[in-house]
Amino acid sequence: MTANAPRLRWHFGIRLLHWLTVIALAAQIAISFGPMDGPGMATMNWLPLHMSIGVTILAIVVLRLCLRIFTKGPVRQISRSGRFASAFVHLSLYVMILAVLITGWLGYRPMPFMPPARLFGNLLVPLAPSGGALSARGFAFVHAKLVWILLGFVSVHILAALVHFVLLRDGVMRSMFFGKSDSASPKLQAPLAVDDEDG
């Protein structure tokens, strides 16, 4: 890759954190709508793993945002409206992930006579401060509703990615894949002029 060649893919760290986020969210959804949705004490039994994955997602998102500050996106042609729509969906995804995580924590209260949940089997989950407009049960209710909104934005994100990959074939999906070359060949450098602002 030459020094002046525009990048066709995101920085390796951005790509790695992106797919780690996908894996962690998929595991969280599988647990939430699977064993945690069972009868009796199933929810409490799976709560430590559920919260551990949530903390993992938070760490990944924070790392990804920090890395995004210091890295440039791939360069490609895209309309202003397309850039705005993409930025809006990505920003909404970040906000919704953080909102789901925070409300989940605010809604956590261990049941009487039950040991508190431990993150990764060792770290005690600190209790969120009580008080304010909503009770812990109220935050748990908001948490459950926000999950569905997050899934809506995730669905839009996946649908847009499939449109780019199957119909437009403009390299947007390839920018998140792992491959040999991250830069454009000299023949392709001229048409590419816009830095992608997502990630």
Side-chain angles (χ1 to χ4, degrees):
M1 180 173 67
T2 62
N4 296 324
R7 296 182 63 89
L8 292 179
R9 293 188 176 93
W10 285 97
H11 183 277
F12 176 82
I14 294 289
R15 283 177 277 159
L16 178 62
L17 293 173
H18 171 269
W19 292 112
L20 288 176
T21 305
V22 172
I23 293 170
L25 283 175
Q28 195 74 301
I29 292 170
I31 292 172
S32 299
F33 292 96
M36 282 193 72
D37 201 28
M41 297 300 295
T43 298
M44 298 305 299
N45 291 336
W46 285 87
L47 186 61
L49 178 59
H50 178 72
M51 299 189 75
S52 297
I53 296 176
V55 170
T56 301
I57 293 172
L58 176 62
I60 293 173
V61 169
V62 171
L63 282 174
R64 185 172 171 181
L65 289 173
C66 292
L67 185 58
R68 181 65 185 93
I69 295 174
F70 301 102
T71 59
K72 290 184 178 181
V75 179
R76 59 174 174 256
Q77 288 183 317
I78 187 171
S79 65
R80 180 173 296 181
S81 59
R83 286 166 53 192
F84 174 80
S86 181
F88 173 77
V89 172
H90 280 83
L91 178 62
S92 298
L93 281 169
Y94 284 124
V95 170
M96 290 308 305
I97 289 174
L98 293 175
V100 167
L101 294 172
I102 291 171
T103 54
W105 177 56
L106 292 172
Y108 166 67
R109 286 293 183 275
M111 295 180 66
F113 309 110
M114 285 197 66
R118 290 181 178 271
L119 298 176
F120 311 105
N122 294 307
L123 303 174
L124 283 174
V125 178
L127 292 179
S130 58
L134 289 177
S135 63
R137 180 169 295 188
F139 279 114
F141 176 81
V142 173
H143 173 74
K145 297 302 179 183
L146 288 178
V147 168
W148 287 104
I149 299 175
L150 172 61
L151 290 177
F153 278 106
V154 169
S155 299
V156 171
H157 180 62
I158 293 173
L159 180 61
L162 290 175
V163 168
H164 281 287
F165 186 66
V166 177
L167 298 179
L168 301 179
R169 299 182 181 181
D170 53 6
V172 169
M173 278 289 287
R174 285 194 301 273
S175 67
M176 273 297 174
F177 291 162
F178 297 95
K180 294 181 179 180
S181 177
D182 290 346
S183 62
S185 64
K187 293 181 179 179
L188 295 177
Q189 289 182 25
L192 300 174
V194 180
D195 284 337
D196 191 355
E197 295 298 328
D198 308 319

